[in-house]
Amino acid sequence: MTRLFNEPAAFADEMIEGFVASHGRWVRRVSGGVARNTRSTPGTVALVIGGGSGHYPAFGGLVGQGLAHGAAMGNLFASPSAQQIYNVAKAADNGGGILLGYGNYAGDVLHFTKAQEKLRKEGIDCRSIAVTDDISSAPPSERAKRRGIAGDLTVFKVAAAASEAGYTLDDVVQIAERANHRTRSFGVAFTGCTLPGAEQPLFTVPEGRMAVGMGIHGEPGIGETDIPTADQLAELMVTKLLAEVPEGVEIRRSRVVPILNGLGSVKYEELFVVYRRVAQLLAEAGLDVVDPQVGELVTSFDMAGTSLTLFWLDEELEHLWLAPADAPAFRRGAITAQALAFDDGELADVERSIPAATAESRAAAVRVLAALGAAKDVVGANADELGRIDAIAGDGDHGIGMERGVRAAVEAAADAVARGAGAATTLHFAGDAWADKAGGTSGALWGMALRAVADALGDANAPDGGAVAAGVADAAAAIMNFGKAKVGDKTLVDVLVPFRDVLKEGVQDGRSLTDAWGTAVVAAQQAAEDTANLLPLMGRARPHAEKSLGTPDAGAVSMALIVQAIYESLLKENTVENSIKETA
Ligand SMILES: Nc1ncnc2c1ncn2[C@@H]1O[C@H](COP(=O)(O)OP(=O)(O)O)[C@@H](O)[C@H]1O
Ligand SMILES: O=C(COP(=O)(O)O)[C@@H](O)CO
């Protein structure tokens, strides 16, 4: 159980600060994460990796010569935001194009894709590789849906060595894809991890039992067995991995890198005992073992568990895997040390200007701020419960992520209002801050939603029911277009769509915004409850579909709570307005 922290919400930031303070030879802090503190060859490809914090040495510990050029570091178990990734990529850019590398998690995919779009718009050639090594997270027929776990290391290492060797971006992408294709992992756990400030672990495994097929966020496993001996565990993992050898690979005489990864609180000595049998089994299978790795490489906070990865080499992959590297948590061979980079410090946030707005729109911005404040209060009051629901089939961070996002949104909106912003600008500031500070899937989607509503309101008119309903419809369209979830997939879309429809109907019937919103809230609450009967088809909860039956979707519940809180805020504003009118 994690005991050493100050303010739980500040944990990730303080961790990065201490990491940089202690590893200045390799990394420097940039807004959004870290970049190499050594100069790289101009014109080479920059590999920018990233993901949630809580997985050290992934991702910051893998930045340095021969490895990544930068790492975007999100909050605990939450993907970094698109803005963070963009900032790190800009700091790491060497002029040869950028490859973004990450584990294949919903929030990562959303944010890295957004960052890629933004970099491309600036004319930077940017590509992505989502690592998919975990064989437990989807069947072989759906490899693209698998999540990335300890296999992150093989893919990043190979891509980085290729870039160091001067490969073009096309060639770096190709070799990274080949490394991903030839990497397979399988994990187990004995106890769950406990995030700073949390009372309970994200999941528990009954005494004497082991969860089989674990991810790296305490996602529940796909099965359970009695705790095996070290030898039996080695046999289980090797058998699983040898049953799924990549296409085009012959087992006998193949050269393979085994990675026995500790997930957080398994002792190195225990890992060595397990590895002893892994090595015997691989030899018995006729494999040539190359450069085995045993240790903590991609962790899950303080989870007691381990995973085995097999990386099936070919000549080029072996050469790149064995190339020298010098990063805080991964060093091999002799590297020619490069000069330290110019200390350009942290990228300062540029103060955004406030476009002109009419008095009506500025008055509406004050109401927007009040509504966001109400959302913040309701999320704060329900954060633990949202985390609890999310932990049943997801990673338990929904409450924390929403809290960080909505808090940042309120701060940014208050700043905008104080500087005379209209409704649209206020919502734009809020949406950007939400996505930036929350990260994760919900951060990307809520940021997008607020920006869509902003565009529909504009800074010129006093927004009426029609404009708000149109904004909500645009938000739903943007979320579904980007996240690809449909009604019935057990996500916040199941709440947003009925809410949108009932709101639109009410407004079209000539009812006031508040009135129509109130009726739509009833539909949203019912829809959120009904998600308990659905099986999740998107996001973190998908591999654990049955576990989530009977529990509503966390994102659906938080959305219903927020629209209800906004309704109460609208009612309050109306009361205030009426009493002002009466007094006048
Ligand atoms: N593709 C998607 N489209 C819409 N909503 C999604 C999608 N994937 C996940 N969600 C929503 O996001 C919620 C999880 O948010 P969050 O905890 O921030 O995500 P994570 O930690 O999994 O990145 C889910 O409960 C679900 O409502
Ligand atoms: O920790 C992670 C965040 O996952 P999301 O569900 O995408 O927010 C992940 O970045 C680890 O790779």
Side-chain angles (χ1 to χ4, degrees), residues 315-332:
E315 209 175 309
E316 189 180 17
L317 290 172
E318 181 167 343
H319 173 73
L320 295 168
W321 171 255
L322 293 177
D326 185 29
F330 193 92
R331 292 172 218 165
R332 66 154 87 252

PDB file of all heavy atoms in Angstrom, residues 315-332:
ATOM      1  N   GLU A 315      17.391 -10.908 -37.705  1.00  0.00           N
ATOM      2  CA  GLU A 315      18.745 -10.353 -37.631  1.00  0.00           C
ATOM      3  C   GLU A 315      18.751  -8.850 -37.342  1.00  0.00           C
ATOM      4  O   GLU A 315      19.479  -8.355 -36.481  1.00  0.00           O
ATOM      5  CB  GLU A 315      19.455 -10.623 -38.964  1.00  0.00           C
ATOM      6  CG  GLU A 315      20.938 -10.757 -38.802  1.00  0.00           C
ATOM      7  CD  GLU A 315      21.593 -11.145 -40.117  1.00  0.00           C
ATOM      8  OE1 GLU A 315      21.150 -12.125 -40.754  1.00  0.00           O
ATOM      9  OE2 GLU A 315      22.528 -10.429 -40.498  1.00  0.00           O
ATOM     10  N   GLU A 316      17.900  -8.139 -38.063  1.00  0.00           N
ATOM     11  CA  GLU A 316      17.878  -6.671 -37.902  1.00  0.00           C
ATOM     12  C   GLU A 316      17.345  -6.279 -36.517  1.00  0.00           C
ATOM     13  O   GLU A 316      17.893  -5.400 -35.842  1.00  0.00           O
ATOM     14  CB  GLU A 316      16.995  -6.061 -39.000  1.00  0.00           C
ATOM     15  CG  GLU A 316      17.074  -4.547 -39.060  1.00  0.00           C
ATOM     16  CD  GLU A 316      16.182  -3.981 -40.160  1.00  0.00           C
ATOM     17  OE1 GLU A 316      15.283  -4.701 -40.648  1.00  0.00           O
ATOM     18  OE2 GLU A 316      16.384  -2.797 -40.514  1.00  0.00           O
ATOM     19  N   LEU A 317      16.300  -6.965 -36.089  1.00  0.00           N
ATOM     20  CA  LEU A 317      15.732  -6.650 -34.764  1.00  0.00           C
ATOM     21  C   LEU A 317      16.767  -6.926 -33.671  1.00  0.00           C
ATOM     22  O   LEU A 317      16.894  -6.164 -32.704  1.00  0.00           O
ATOM     23  CB  LEU A 317      14.461  -7.462 -34.512  1.00  0.00           C
ATOM     24  CG  LEU A 317      13.233  -7.088 -35.357  1.00  0.00           C
ATOM     25  CD1 LEU A 317      12.102  -8.092 -35.165  1.00  0.00           C
ATOM     26  CD2 LEU A 317      12.740  -5.679 -35.015  1.00  0.00           C
ATOM     27  N   GLU A 318      17.498  -8.010 -33.823  1.00  0.00           N
ATOM     28  CA  GLU A 318      18.500  -8.350 -32.801  1.00  0.00           C
ATOM     29  C   GLU A 318      19.583  -7.271 -32.727  1.00  0.00           C
ATOM     30  O   GLU A 318      19.983  -6.828 -31.651  1.00  0.00           O
ATOM     31  CB  GLU A 318      19.127  -9.724 -33.105  1.00  0.00           C
ATOM     32  CG  GLU A 318      20.153 -10.127 -32.054  1.00  0.00           C
ATOM     33  CD  GLU A 318      20.543 -11.600 -32.144  1.00  0.00           C
ATOM     34  OE1 GLU A 318      19.810 -12.386 -32.789  1.00  0.00           O
ATOM     35  OE2 GLU A 318      21.580 -11.958 -31.555  1.00  0.00           O
ATOM     36  N   HIS A 319      20.013  -6.832 -33.903  1.00  0.00           N
ATOM     37  CA  HIS A 319      21.047  -5.798 -33.954  1.00  0.00           C
ATOM     38  C   HIS A 319      20.557  -4.527 -33.243  1.00  0.00           C
ATOM     39  O   HIS A 319      21.268  -3.914 -32.442  1.00  0.00           O
ATOM     40  CB  HIS A 319      21.375  -5.526 -35.422  1.00  0.00           C
ATOM     41  CG  HIS A 319      22.303  -4.384 -35.627  1.00  0.00           C
ATOM     42  ND1 HIS A 319      23.640  -4.470 -35.324  1.00  0.00           N
ATOM     43  CD2 HIS A 319      22.078  -3.120 -36.076  1.00  0.00           C
ATOM     44  CE1 HIS A 319      24.204  -3.298 -35.578  1.00  0.00           C
ATOM     45  NE2 HIS A 319      23.279  -2.462 -36.025  1.00  0.00           N
ATOM     46  N   LEU A 320      19.313  -4.155 -33.518  1.00  0.00           N
ATOM     47  CA  LEU A 320      18.774  -2.917 -32.923  1.00  0.00           C
ATOM     48  C   LEU A 320      18.505  -3.086 -31.427  1.00  0.00           C
ATOM     49  O   LEU A 320      18.743  -2.184 -30.632  1.00  0.00           O
ATOM     50  CB  LEU A 320      17.492  -2.495 -33.658  1.00  0.00           C
ATOM     51  CG  LEU A 320      17.705  -2.102 -35.129  1.00  0.00           C
ATOM     52  CD1 LEU A 320      16.374  -1.985 -35.860  1.00  0.00           C
ATOM     53  CD2 LEU A 320      18.489  -0.784 -35.233  1.00  0.00           C
ATOM     54  N   TRP A 321      18.027  -4.260 -31.052  1.00  0.00           N
ATOM     55  CA  TRP A 321      17.775  -4.517 -29.619  1.00  0.00           C
ATOM     56  C   TRP A 321      19.076  -4.425 -28.819  1.00  0.00           C
ATOM     57  O   TRP A 321      19.106  -3.900 -27.712  1.00  0.00           O
ATOM     58  CB  TRP A 321      17.112  -5.894 -29.439  1.00  0.00           C
ATOM     59  CG  TRP A 321      17.015  -6.315 -28.000  1.00  0.00           C
ATOM     60  CD1 TRP A 321      17.782  -7.244 -27.360  1.00  0.00           C
ATOM     61  CD2 TRP A 321      16.112  -5.792 -27.004  1.00  0.00           C
ATOM     62  NE1 TRP A 321      17.428  -7.344 -26.032  1.00  0.00           N
ATOM     63  CE2 TRP A 321      16.398  -6.462 -25.789  1.00  0.00           C
ATOM     64  CE3 TRP A 321      15.098  -4.833 -27.013  1.00  0.00           C
ATOM     65  CZ2 TRP A 321      15.709  -6.209 -24.601  1.00  0.00           C
ATOM     66  CZ3 TRP A 321      14.414  -4.578 -25.830  1.00  0.00           C
ATOM     67  CH2 TRP A 321      14.722  -5.257 -24.640  1.00  0.00           C
ATOM     68  N   LEU A 322      20.156  -4.912 -29.426  1.00  0.00           N
ATOM     69  CA  LEU A 322      21.423  -4.947 -28.688  1.00  0.00           C
ATOM     70  C   LEU A 322      22.236  -3.648 -28.791  1.00  0.00           C
ATOM     71  O   LEU A 322      23.268  -3.506 -28.163  1.00  0.00           O
ATOM     72  CB  LEU A 322      22.285  -6.118 -29.189  1.00  0.00           C
ATOM     73  CG  LEU A 322      21.712  -7.514 -28.876  1.00  0.00           C
ATOM     74  CD1 LEU A 322      22.582  -8.595 -29.476  1.00  0.00           C
ATOM     75  CD2 LEU A 322      21.564  -7.728 -27.368  1.00  0.00           C
ATOM     76  N   ALA A 323      21.750  -2.694 -29.570  1.00  0.00           N
ATOM     77  CA  ALA A 323      22.496  -1.436 -29.735  1.00  0.00           C
ATOM     78  C   ALA A 323      22.616  -0.709 -28.388  1.00  0.00           C
ATOM     79  O   ALA A 323      21.742  -0.832 -27.528  1.00  0.00           O
ATOM     80  CB  ALA A 323      21.770  -0.553 -30.748  1.00  0.00           C
ATOM     81  N   PRO A 324      23.689   0.057 -28.198  1.00  0.00           N
ATOM     82  CA  PRO A 324      23.889   0.742 -26.915  1.00  0.00           C
ATOM     83  C   PRO A 324      22.755   1.699 -26.570  1.00  0.00           C
ATOM     84  O   PRO A 324      22.112   2.250 -27.472  1.00  0.00           O
ATOM     85  CB  PRO A 324      25.187   1.530 -27.128  1.00  0.00           C
ATOM     86  CG  PRO A 324      25.815   0.988 -28.337  1.00  0.00           C
ATOM     87  CD  PRO A 324      24.762   0.336 -29.157  1.00  0.00           C
ATOM     88  N   ALA A 325      22.539   1.871 -25.306  1.00  0.00           N
ATOM     89  CA  ALA A 325      21.513   2.822 -24.847  1.00  0.00           C
ATOM     90  C   ALA A 325      21.911   3.322 -23.472  1.00  0.00           C
ATOM     91  O   ALA A 325      22.590   2.617 -22.711  1.00  0.00           O
ATOM     92  CB  ALA A 325      20.152   2.146 -24.775  1.00  0.00           C
ATOM     93  N   ASP A 326      21.497   4.524 -23.175  1.00  0.00           N
ATOM     94  CA  ASP A 326      21.839   5.100 -21.880  1.00  0.00           C
ATOM     95  C   ASP A 326      20.673   5.952 -21.387  1.00  0.00           C
ATOM     96  O   ASP A 326      20.576   7.140 -21.679  1.00  0.00           O
ATOM     97  CB  ASP A 326      23.107   5.956 -22.034  1.00  0.00           C
ATOM     98  CG  ASP A 326      23.589   6.502 -20.695  1.00  0.00           C
ATOM     99  OD1 ASP A 326      23.349   5.832 -19.664  1.00  0.00           O
ATOM    100  OD2 ASP A 326      24.182   7.595 -20.678  1.00  0.00           O
ATOM    101  N   ALA A 327      19.762   5.311 -20.682  1.00  0.00           N
ATOM    102  CA  ALA A 327      18.596   6.005 -20.118  1.00  0.00           C
ATOM    103  C   ALA A 327      18.594   5.739 -18.614  1.00  0.00           C
ATOM    104  O   ALA A 327      19.263   4.801 -18.161  1.00  0.00           O
ATOM    105  CB  ALA A 327      17.319   5.471 -20.770  1.00  0.00           C
ATOM    106  N   PRO A 328      17.866   6.541 -17.836  1.00  0.00           N
ATOM    107  CA  PRO A 328      17.901   6.339 -16.390  1.00  0.00           C
ATOM    108  C   PRO A 328      17.666   4.890 -15.965  1.00  0.00           C
ATOM    109  O   PRO A 328      18.301   4.394 -15.055  1.00  0.00           O
ATOM    110  CB  PRO A 328      16.775   7.247 -15.887  1.00  0.00           C
ATOM    111  CG  PRO A 328      16.702   8.346 -16.885  1.00  0.00           C
ATOM    112  CD  PRO A 328      17.039   7.703 -18.214  1.00  0.00           C
ATOM    113  N   ALA A 329      16.764   4.185 -16.639  1.00  0.00           N
ATOM    114  CA  ALA A 329      16.423   2.845 -16.178  1.00  0.00           C
ATOM    115  C   ALA A 329      16.800   1.751 -17.168  1.00  0.00           C
ATOM    116  O   ALA A 329      16.373   0.610 -17.015  1.00  0.00           O
ATOM    117  CB  ALA A 329      14.925   2.785 -15.881  1.00  0.00           C
ATOM    118  N   PHE A 330      17.555   2.093 -18.196  1.00  0.00           N
ATOM    119  CA  PHE A 330      17.948   1.058 -19.158  1.00  0.00           C
ATOM    120  C   PHE A 330      19.271   1.468 -19.789  1.00  0.00           C
ATOM    121  O   PHE A 330      19.316   2.425 -20.558  1.00  0.00           O
ATOM    122  CB  PHE A 330      16.875   0.892 -20.235  1.00  0.00           C
ATOM    123  CG  PHE A 330      17.046  -0.350 -21.063  1.00  0.00           C
ATOM    124  CD1 PHE A 330      16.403  -1.534 -20.706  1.00  0.00           C
ATOM    125  CD2 PHE A 330      17.869  -0.357 -22.186  1.00  0.00           C
ATOM    126  CE1 PHE A 330      16.571  -2.695 -21.459  1.00  0.00           C
ATOM    127  CE2 PHE A 330      18.047  -1.507 -22.936  1.00  0.00           C
ATOM    128  CZ  PHE A 330      17.392  -2.679 -22.584  1.00  0.00           C
ATOM    129  N   ARG A 331      20.315   0.724 -19.442  1.00  0.00           N
ATOM    130  CA  ARG A 331      21.638   1.077 -19.985  1.00  0.00           C
ATOM    131  C   ARG A 331      22.296  -0.166 -20.542  1.00  0.00           C
ATOM    132  O   ARG A 331      22.227  -1.218 -19.915  1.00  0.00           O
ATOM    133  CB  ARG A 331      22.532   1.638 -18.881  1.00  0.00           C
ATOM    134  CG  ARG A 331      22.041   2.979 -18.412  1.00  0.00           C
ATOM    135  CD  ARG A 331      22.778   3.476 -17.197  1.00  0.00           C
ATOM    136  NE  ARG A 331      21.816   4.142 -16.326  1.00  0.00           N
ATOM    137  CZ  ARG A 331      22.012   4.448 -15.069  1.00  0.00           C
ATOM    138  NH1 ARG A 331      23.147   4.127 -14.483  1.00  0.00           N
ATOM    139  NH2 ARG A 331      21.089   5.049 -14.365  1.00  0.00           N
ATOM    140  N   ARG A 332      22.895  -0.055 -21.680  1.00  0.00           N
ATOM    141  CA  ARG A 332      23.679  -1.183 -22.202  1.00  0.00           C
ATOM    142  C   ARG A 332      24.766  -0.663 -23.146  1.00  0.00           C
ATOM    143  O   ARG A 332      24.586   0.357 -23.821  1.00  0.00           O
ATOM    144  CB  ARG A 332      22.790  -2.172 -22.928  1.00  0.00           C
ATOM    145  CG  ARG A 332      22.174  -1.630 -24.186  1.00  0.00           C
ATOM    146  CD  ARG A 332      21.854  -2.710 -25.178  1.00  0.00           C
ATOM    147  NE  ARG A 332      20.539  -3.314 -24.991  1.00  0.00           N
ATOM    148  CZ  ARG A 332      20.363  -4.535 -24.530  1.00  0.00           C
ATOM    149  NH1 ARG A 332      21.373  -5.255 -24.185  1.00  0.00           N
ATOM    150  NH2 ARG A 332      19.159  -5.033 -24.413  1.00  0.00           N
TER     151      ARG A 332
END
